[in-house]
Amino acid sequence: MPIDTPQRKVGSKACAIVHYMLDTDHWLYREETKIDVGRDCVLELSVDDQWNNDKIEGQIKGTRKIKELSSGTISFSVDTKTINYAIRSGNSFVLFLVDVDTEKVYYVALQEYYIANGIPSEKLDKQKTIRIHISKDHCLNDGDDDLQEIAKSRYTFTRSKHLIKTK
């Protein structure tokens, strides 16, 4: 018989927490089903009960051990293939990091992080993982105003491997 794993349990709980934490007055949560190729969900934002095609593609990671730095940020290791996938999305792509024990949901817009930190594309090609820092201020439990603004952003990844914010 198949045996359940702690990783599956943490991952399932993390997805459920993100879904639960979203304000359904203005977010529609669509979970990706079947084969996961780098995106776990798509969130669509409604403003004044109107859908404007403002979306966030999301990757959800669950953990029981948040590594907080003295700078007030959370350090988390992400597969470079996830970042490569994210920066090629035209919609905002957000990594949701869920502490499944406290049910806190932290998030970082990966395209914005890539642009702000000038991550060289060679680094993403050569390394398996990269450590990113997530601001503790970006916590879904404290409201979603920042997340709403992130949903309105658009990006283009050029042939010369440059990421540009277009909206």
Side-chain angles (χ1 to χ4, degrees), residues 22-79:
L22 291 168
D23 183 347
T24 58
D25 284 342
H26 52 260
W27 288 108
L28 175 61
Y29 176 93
R30 292 185 187 101
E31 186 173 38
E32 294 288 297
T33 57
K34 302 194 183 196
I35 299 171
D36 175 4
V37 296
R39 182 178 61 210
D40 293 321
C41 62
V42 176
L43 313 178
E44 188 163 354
L45 176 65
S46 168
V47 178
D48 297 325
D49 295 327
Q50 292 189 353
W51 302 102
N52 300 308
N53 204 25
D54 293 328
K55 297 177 184 170
I56 290 174
E57 296 178 32
Q59 175 69 276
I60 301 170
K61 297 290 185 186
T63 185
R64 291 191 184 283
K65 296 178 184 175
I66 294 285
K67 182 177 181 181
E68 187 176 341
L69 303 176
S70 60
S71 62
T73 61
I74 296 165
S75 179
F76 188 73
S77 184
V78 178
D79 289 342

Side-chain angles (χ1 to χ4, degrees), residues 8 10 15 21 30 34 46 56 64 68 83 88 94 96 101 103 111 113-114 122 143-144 157 160 164-165:
R8 197 249 359 125
V10 168
C15 289
M21 290 304 303
R30 292 185 187 101
K34 302 194 183 196
S46 168
I56 290 174
R64 291 191 184 283
E68 187 176 341
I83 295 175
R88 285 166 176 77
V94 171
F96 294 95
D101 292 332
E103 298 190 358
Q111 291 112 323
Y113 189 88
Y114 178 87
E122 308 84 54
D144 64 3
F157 191 75
S160 57
I164 301 166
K165 186 173 184 175

